[in-house]
Amino acid sequence: MSAASAGGAARAARQQTHLWVAQRVTAMVLAIAVVVHLVMIIGAVRGGLSAAEILGRTRGNEAWLAFYVVFALAAGLHGAIGLRNIAAETIGLRGRAADLAWLAIGLATAVFGIRAAIGLYA
Amino acid sequence: MASAASLTVSVWRGGEQGHFARFDVPARENQTVLDVVTYIQRELDPSLAYRFACRVGMCGSCAMTVNGRARWTCRTHVRKVVGAGGALELRPLGNLPVIRDLVADLAPFFDKWSRARGTFQPKEAEEGAVPDDFAIVPPASKQRRQADAGIECIGCAVCYSSCDVVAWNGDYLGPAALNRAWTLVNDVRDGARRDRLDAVAGDAGCHSCHSTQSCTERCPKNLDPSLAIAGLKRTLFWDTLLGRR
């Protein structure tokens, strides 16, 4: 292996490690966020579910906005990195281009969630 | 099962492409799988290729796939693994190229030890020179205990042959090489920690491990490569998160 390709391999390994760390950190965030989200749902549907009640909780509330932005970001990235690993092992889809594509898919998924959170806030 | 008068042994013959040959071998009360293979070669078919040296579980050269599972044949009693009607199926170790018959090519396995920086690099003496003084490593220290836990590996490749991740990803370093790297990461006399952690990171390294623990389950030395790999992951997690690498 030449020095250049050895350096490239080390850089690739470092980027793959970053993706792995991102997935573990988002998993920790999701463990808490999913519990909060479920408890909130159970609380919200007691005595009937209405749009007015939900909007009353979320509209103008920066804390819920921040919570759901973080939640959506974590879910989008976590899911995309997980799908990346499955694709690599089952169909051999690997490489930097594939990684960038998965990152884009993860961020796009997160943007949908963030858009919904902003919709409930504004 | 010891009651069967003879064993029906299916033995892989050929290279990557090959077939099973059937042999009838007298069953004995005390008999290892290696005894069976040796009997076949000495009494029935001298052209059978297989590998062994010490016969007592020290050298690690006689590992094969016995009834679907990688084992040391010298330390496996036939009666513990034999199937119904005295059936035994012998193949070379999996996840490795086949040279001939029961002999697998271990070169890719050992190449990965060197890719994982499996060689000791003395801290204060470059190029392998002998350091000036003895290093003092307290036996009860955490790092010494973690190194001790994995140091008895004899490189038989049973773990490598049993690993699903190796089967999915030919570049994956495998349990033995990563276990070796972890013992060196914990060796306070070693000076190549940073390079070694780079070498074992990423998709070809510890981060591909699914912790299914076939390596730990099947290691004839009762080592725990899964734990070593978890240690590498943990070290790389904190080093990455805290910007130490």
Side-chain angles (χ1 to χ4, degrees):
Chain A
M1 198 184 282
S2 72
S5 71
R11 194 160 47 246
R14 217 162 272 217
Q15 285 159 355
Q16 290 156 4
T17 309
H18 286 150
L19 288 177
W20 183 86
V21 168
Q23 204 194 19
R24 289 313 190 270
V25 170
T26 52
M28 294 172 202
V29 171
L30 287 172
I32 298 165
V34 168
V35 170
V36 171
H37 182 59
L38 287 175
V39 168
M40 218 267 293
I41 290 172
I42 292 165
V45 298
R46 280 167 55 165
L49 180 64
S50 73
E53 192 196 332
I54 290 174
L55 289 172
R57 197 189 318 266
T58 60
R59 189 156 281 173
N61 189 326
E62 282 83 12
W64 280 122
L65 176 67
F67 171 77
Y68 277 108
V69 166
V70 171
F71 190 176
L73 205 56
L77 289 174
H78 185 82
I81 298 170
L83 289 173
R84 165 196 181 267
N85 298 342
I86 294 170
E89 279 176 1
T90 52
I91 58 171
L93 183 67
R94 299 175 204 277
R96 190 162 160 70
D99 285 354
L100 289 173
W102 283 117
L103 206 56
I105 289 168
L107 289 172
T109 315
V111 165
F112 287 123
I114 291 169
R115 231 181 94 216
I118 292 172
L120 287 171
Y121 171 78
Chain B
M1 284 304 157
S3 58
S6 72
L7 304 165
T8 309
V9 190
S10 303
V11 181
W12 184 257
R13 301 304 306 268
E16 298 289 349
Q17 305 300 319
H19 63 280
F20 281 105
R22 292 270 295 267
F23 297 97
D24 287 327
V25 176
R28 312 247 184 259
E29 198 166 336
N30 274 313
Q31 187 175 31
T32 65
V33 175
L34 184 61
D35 293 336
V36 170
V37 179
T38 301
Y39 180 91
I40 293 171
Q41 202 230 31
R42 292 196 182 163
E43 309 292 334
L44 305 177
D45 186 350
S47 70
L48 177 68
Y50 70 113
R51 190 190 276 134
F52 77 99
C54 77
R55 298 170 293 133
V56 290
M58 289 173 67
C59 73
S61 62
C62 71
M64 298 172 201
T65 309
V66 182
N67 284 359
R69 193 176 160 140
R71 297 172 174 282
W72 288 350
T73 52
C74 72
R75 301 290 286 170
T76 302
H77 277 277
V78 168
R79 66 182 137 79
K80 292 205 172 143
V81 294
V82 72
L88 270 185
E89 187 197 271
L90 305 178
R91 287 170 169 275
L93 282 176
N95 289 340
L96 289 163
V98 181
I99 296 176
R100 186 160 74 86
D101 302 344
L102 297 171
V103 182
D105 181 3
L106 269 73
F109 172 73
F110 288 116
D111 285 348
K112 288 177 180 180
W113 281 52
S114 55
R115 253 177 56 203
R117 295 291 304 258
T119 43
F120 173 58
Q121 175 72 54
K123 206 178 246 170
E124 283 124 21
E126 296 302 315
E127 307 300 330
V130 178
D132 294 334
D133 208 351
F134 289 107
I136 296 169
V137 186
S141 65
K142 188 179 174 198
Q143 283 184 309
R144 173 62 187 267
R145 281 188 284 114
Q146 282 178 327
D148 279 351
I151 206 70
E152 296 292 340
C153 174
I154 61 173
C156 67
V158 162
C159 59
Y160 187 85
S161 169
S162 305
C163 176
D164 288 328
V165 182
V166 174
W168 296 328
N169 179 0
D171 285 336
Y172 179 55
L173 293 169
L178 293 170
N179 178 72
R180 172 65 184 160
W182 179 237
T183 63
L184 289 170
V185 165
N186 281 294
D187 190 331
V188 294
R189 305 164 305 158
D190 184 89
R193 178 191 163 93
R194 198 185 162 82
D195 286 350
R196 188 168 297 107
L197 285 173
D198 273 344
V200 300
D203 291 345
C206 63
H207 294 114
S208 277
C209 173
H210 285 239
S211 308
T212 46
Q213 303 186 40
S214 298
C215 51
T216 299
E217 164 78 18
R218 298 194 180 170
C219 174
K221 302 278 290 184
N222 288 323
L223 305 184
D224 194 349
S226 286
L227 193 71
I229 296 169
L232 290 172
K233 284 179 177 173
R234 198 168 52 244
T235 304
L236 281 159
F237 178 81
W238 288 113
D239 282 7
T240 304
L241 209 60
L242 303 176
R244 291 196 291 234
R245 49 191 307 279

